[in-house]
Amino acid sequence: MATKALFNTVVNWFIRQRIDQIQNFMDHPIETQKGILFSQLFHAEDTEYGKLYGFNSISSYQDFKNKVPIVTYEEMEPYIEKARQGQKDVSWPGLIKHFAKSSGTTNAKSKFIPISTESLEYCHMKAGKDMVSIYANNHPENQLFNYKNLRLGGSSELYADFNTKFGDLSAILIDNLPFWVEITTTPSKKVSLMGEWESKLKAITSEVKNEDVGSILGVPSWMMVLLQRVVKESNIESISELWPNLEVFFHGGISFKPYREQFRQIIGKNINYYEIYNASEGFFGIQDRSDSDEMLLMLDYGIFMNSFLWISSIFQIQKL
């Protein structure tokens, strides 16, 4: 009991601290983004790409606009390939060990998105903590930490190549989760990283039927398939019969509108729904209010949004 009380105290302290930080970048969006820009330029100034465009000589947003061109993936691909083959300090300091394989939207060609250690920790992992922090702050009566979180990733295989790894972003995230997250989630890491979908679905169903799940996370279409399988194999009418403590679905990837009524019916009770916007390139938005489907643009994840400052300058939010 004392251990649980200490855990809750630490979690609540972290949530309060992070909510204050989120409010700060909401109050100071331009300053936050400019801070991100110059921090990233400083860290990358000695890389091949940083030297090519003189990152160390950039002292203003206007300098950045003038010196660093907007490029396509095809123009960045040679640098990405160098990093994939184990070359250090190409566009970011050190060795990039992971690359998210993203379906190509141009030239029908898959793209490899570099995922640095910093990106994992200060963007994707940070977003997972923020997702829970925002929800818990909005729902002080929540019981998230008393029950398991069910995560459902996509195609979850990792392949080694040139001593680096590439695969679906969800596989990279699961493969790098800290132990304390692993023990609070289901299915197991081994099952989550299975490749063949039908075998994976069967294994997930077998594991999660025996858990007390309080939250679920995934793409609505895939999650619906899983929940339908769980209902069928458990011989129940609704998910709430198996998981009475389920209280929230964190969803993203596709529009939730066509699925909302289906989830209401299969779950069998009212729960909360929070949308997130994650991509191979980065984690960008989290729904921050229960009474609105709008998402908050997360401005302190180490991602500089060039168009954000451009739009801000048009509307004269603050002179750059």
Side-chain angles (χ1 to χ4, degrees):
M1 185 66 70
T3 301
K4 185 176 180 181
L6 177 61
F7 174 79
N8 288 334
T9 298
V10 172
V11 168
N12 288 329
W13 176 86
F14 173 83
I15 289 173
R16 288 194 299 271
Q17 294 294 312
R18 184 55 187 150
I19 293 300
D20 287 345
Q21 293 169 2
I22 291 173
Q23 186 61 53
N24 183 68
F25 78 63
M26 291 173 65
D27 293 338
H28 308 284
I30 305 300
E31 294 88 344
T32 299
Q33 274 287 282
K34 290 174 74 173
I36 293 293
L37 170 62
F38 293 110
S39 174
Q40 303 299 59
L41 289 171
F42 172 77
H43 282 96
E45 66 180 24
D46 291 326
T47 64
E48 179 181 345
Y49 203 75
K51 292 176 180 178
L52 177 64
Y53 291 108
F55 283 7
N56 63 354
S57 66
I58 296 175
S59 59
S60 68
Y61 175 61
Q62 193 62 44
D63 282 348
F64 175 75
K65 287 174 60 179
N66 293 338
K67 293 184 177 183
V68 183
I70 295 175
V71 297
T72 63
Y73 176 84
E74 287 71 25
E75 291 171 304
M76 278 297 299
E77 189 172 18
Y79 299 97
I80 293 174
E81 280 303 304
K82 287 181 182 180
R84 280 193 64 212
Q85 293 178 28
Q87 184 172 325
K88 298 180 179 179
D89 305 325
V90 180
S91 60
W92 188 252
L95 175 69
I96 304 297
K97 299 179 180 179
H98 295 92
F99 294 81
K101 188 177 181 181
S102 177
S103 299
T105 54
T106 58
N107 300 331
K109 184 178 180 181
S110 293
K111 296 176 171 60
F112 294 91
I113 310 301
I115 307 293
S116 67
T117 301
E118 291 83 0
S119 175
L120 275 173
E121 182 173 355
Y122 300 115
C123 181
H124 296 285
M125 300 297 185
K126 184 177 181 179
K129 299 173 188 175
D130 284 353
M131 178 181 70
V132 173
S133 296
I134 289 172
Y135 177 79
N137 185 64
N138 289 343
H139 301 272
E141 75 289 354
N142 80 87
Q143 298 295 314
L144 283 187
F145 304 108
N146 294 328
Y147 307 104
K148 287 291 186 78
N149 167 257
L150 190 161
R151 64 185 177 209
L152 184 58
S155 175
S156 298
E157 289 183 295
L158 285 174
Y159 303 92
D161 203 1
F162 306 112
N163 292 319
T164 61
K165 291 183 177 181
F166 68 92
D168 187 271
L169 175 66
S170 61
I172 295 173
L173 296 179
I174 291 171
D175 194 44
N176 287 276
L177 285 174
F179 79 94
W180 58 269
V181 173
E182 186 62 30
I183 62 177
T184 61
T185 57
T186 188
S188 63
K189 183 176 181 177
K190 179 180 178 180
V191 169
S192 295
L193 292 175
M194 290 175 63
E196 199 277 314
W197 170 245
E198 190 57 37
S199 299
K200 177 178 175 178
L201 183 61
K202 182 178 179 180
I204 292 175
T205 303
S206 178
E207 283 197 8
V208 301
K209 284 194 305 180
N210 302 314
E211 299 288 358
D212 194 352
V213 174
S215 59
I216 54 180
L217 167 67
V219 177
S221 54
W222 298 338
M223 186 62 72
M224 178 56 66
V225 172
L226 173 62
L227 296 187
Q228 289 172 341
R229 176 71 70 93
V230 171
V231 166
K232 181 179 179 180
E233 295 198 8
S234 302
N235 194 27
I236 55 178
E237 294 295 325
S238 66
I239 285 295
S240 60
E241 295 177 45
L242 182 66
W243 299 330
N245 297 302
L246 179 63
E247 63 175 274
V248 60
F249 177 23
F250 298 104
H251 59 86
I254 59 176
S255 172
F256 188 60
K257 288 183 180 180
Y259 295 92
R260 185 177 293 275
E261 181 58 25
Q262 294 181 57
F263 274 93
R264 188 192 68 79
Q265 291 182 12
I266 198 168
I267 291 174
K269 69 172 186 177
N270 291 326
I271 67 169
N272 297 300
Y273 298 95
Y274 272 66
E275 187 166 8
I276 58 177
Y277 184 8
N278 193 15
S280 299
E281 293 79 6
F283 205 116
F284 296 98
I286 301 175
Q287 180 181 332
D288 65 324
R289 294 185 296 173
S290 297
D291 59 353
S292 173
D293 292 334
E294 297 174 349
M295 286 183 279
L296 174 66
L297 189 63
M298 307 305 288
L299 298 178
D300 65 347
Y301 284 0
I303 301 173
F304 175 64
M305 305 176 192
N306 189 36
S307 59
F308 180 84
L309 290 188
W310 179 72
I311 292 171
S312 299
S313 65
I314 291 177
F315 286 96
Q316 297 181 338
I317 295 177
Q318 178 171 326
K319 192 172 182 180
L320 298 176

